[in-house]
Amino acid sequence: MSILRQGFGVFVTRVWAAAAGLIMSIIIARSFGPEGKGIASLMLLVPVLLSTFGNAGLHISNVYFFGKKGASISRLASNSVWVALVLGLLVCGVGIAFYPLVGDRFFAGVPGPFLFTIVALTPAMLLSAYFGNLLLAQRRIAVFNTVMAVQTGVQLATLMIAIYFFDAGVIAVVLGLVVNIIIGALGMTALVYRADPFTWTFDRPLFKQTMLYGLKGYVANALQFLNYRSDILLVSFFLGATAVGWYSVAVNFAEILWYVPTSLGTILFPVVASSSIAN
C-alpha cells in the first residue's frame, strides 16, 4: 500500500475522531453549559498530558529500533509492558503528590476523584501508546486505524448512554475516557501479541539503548506539547473553567489544519526509520 493511501486512511480516522469529538462537545455543552464544557475539556486534556510527559520517548525508539536496528517486536513489546507499568505507577504517584499544588490552580472545578481516576489509568495510556507505535512500525496501518476508530466510537456511545439514559452528570465524560483508554490498551496489546507473542522477560541491554535514544526526542516533544496545550491550562488558571469551555470550541476548529501533516507524519516515521539511508 502506498504512503499516500496509508496517509489517507489515517486522515479519515482523524476526521472521524474530530467529527465524534464535535458531537461530544455539542452534547456536553448543551447538557452542562459552558462551565461543564470547560471541566470536560480539562479532563480530556489530562490523558494527553500524562502520556506525553510519562512516555520517556519509548514509543519513538520502538519504531526506530525495529526498523533500523532489527530488534524483534517480542523483545520491544516485553520491555514496553514493564516500562508502562513502572513509569505509569511513577506518574500516578507524582500526579497525586502534586495535586494539592496544581489542582485548584489549573484544574479548578474538576472534582478530585475524577482526576484521580484518570491518573490511575496512566499505565494503560502508556501501554496503548507503545503498542500502537509497534503496530505502525510493522506497517499495520489498517488495524491501527481500526482500533483508533473503535475507541472513538465507543467513547461517544458511552457518553450518550450515560447522559441520555442514566442522566449522568460530568462523570459521563470520565466514563467515556475510561472506556476509550481501556479499549485502546487491550486492543493494541492483543494485536501485537497475536502477530508476535511476547513474554514477561525484561531485556536490560535493549532497554538501556531504547531509553537513551527515546530521551533524545522526549524533551523536544514535551516542550512542543507545552507550546500546543499550555493555552488551555493558562486560560483555566486566569479565567476558570467557563472560559475554557468557550475557548476550547475555537481550539477544536483551529486544529483541523493539523490533520493532513500529522496523518502523513504518522506514516512517514516508520518508513524513514526502516529506510536504508545511513544514520
Side-chain angles (χ1 to χ4, degrees):
M1 185 181 295
S2 68
I3 292 177
L4 286 179
R5 288 184 63 185
Q6 291 177 337
F8 181 73
V10 177
F11 175 75
V12 170
T13 304
R14 291 185 181 275
V15 170
W16 155 240
L22 179 60
I23 295 172
M24 285 189 280
S25 294
I26 294 173
I27 292 173
I28 292 169
R30 288 180 62 88
S31 301
F32 312 126
E35 183 179 9
K37 175 64 171 66
I39 292 173
S41 297
L42 289 170
M43 288 193 292
L44 292 170
L45 177 63
V46 174
V48 186
L49 181 70
L50 295 174
S51 59
T52 299
F53 284 92
N55 63 56
L58 187 66
H59 62 306
I60 297 174
S61 57
N62 276 346
V63 176
Y64 176 80
F65 273 80
F66 173 75
K68 184 70 70 175
K69 302 296 183 180
S72 69
I73 290 294
S74 60
R75 293 168 63 207
L76 292 169
S78 297
N79 279 7
S80 294
V81 172
W82 282 104
V83 175
L85 290 175
V86 175
L87 277 184
L89 292 175
L90 179 62
V91 171
C92 287
V94 172
I96 293 173
F98 276 86
Y99 175 74
L101 298 176
V102 302
D104 292 336
R105 292 178 173 84
F106 293 101
F107 297 95
V110 182
F114 292 0
L115 283 178
F116 294 148
T117 299
I118 299 171
V119 171
L121 292 171
T122 303
M125 299 176 207
L126 296 181
L127 198 63
S128 180
Y130 296 158
F131 279 45
N133 270 46
L134 287 176
L135 291 176
L136 292 175
Q138 296 175 293
R139 315 283 182 86
R140 299 171 66 188
I141 310 300
V143 292
F144 174 83
N145 289 339
T146 299
V147 175
M148 298 293 288
V150 169
Q151 282 182 264
T152 304
V154 175
Q155 181 180 4
L156 173 59
T158 301
L159 180 74
M160 294 177 68
I161 292 171
I163 291 177
Y164 293 125
F165 288 90
F166 295 96
D167 197 25
V170 184
I171 194 175
V173 180
V174 180
L175 294 175
L177 270 177
V178 169
V179 171
N180 180 303
I181 293 167
I182 291 177
I183 287 178
L186 293 178
M188 300 294 187
T189 303
L191 288 168
V192 171
Y193 183 84
R194 184 177 180 181
D196 198 342
F198 54 87
T199 65
W200 284 91
T201 303
F202 182 70
D203 192 328
R204 185 174 297 179
L206 179 62
F207 167 75
K208 182 178 180 180
Q209 295 176 55
T210 53
M211 288 300 290
L212 287 175
Y213 180 86
L215 288 173
K216 294 178 181 178
Y218 168 73
V219 175
N221 287 335
L223 291 176
Q224 184 182 53
F225 171 83
L226 285 178
N227 182 45
Y228 288 159
R229 297 300 183 190
S230 60
D231 53 348
I232 297 289
L233 296 175
L234 290 174
V235 171
S236 176
F237 181 83
F238 289 107
L239 300 176
T242 301
V244 172
W246 292 107
Y247 180 76
S248 62
V249 174
V251 170
N252 290 337
F253 280 103
E255 288 180 351
I256 294 175
L257 297 174
W258 293 356
Y259 293 166
V260 172
T262 54
S263 299
L264 290 176
T266 300
I267 302 302
L268 285 175
F269 181 58
V271 172
V272 174
S274 59
S275 68
S276 58
I277 301 174
N279 294 332

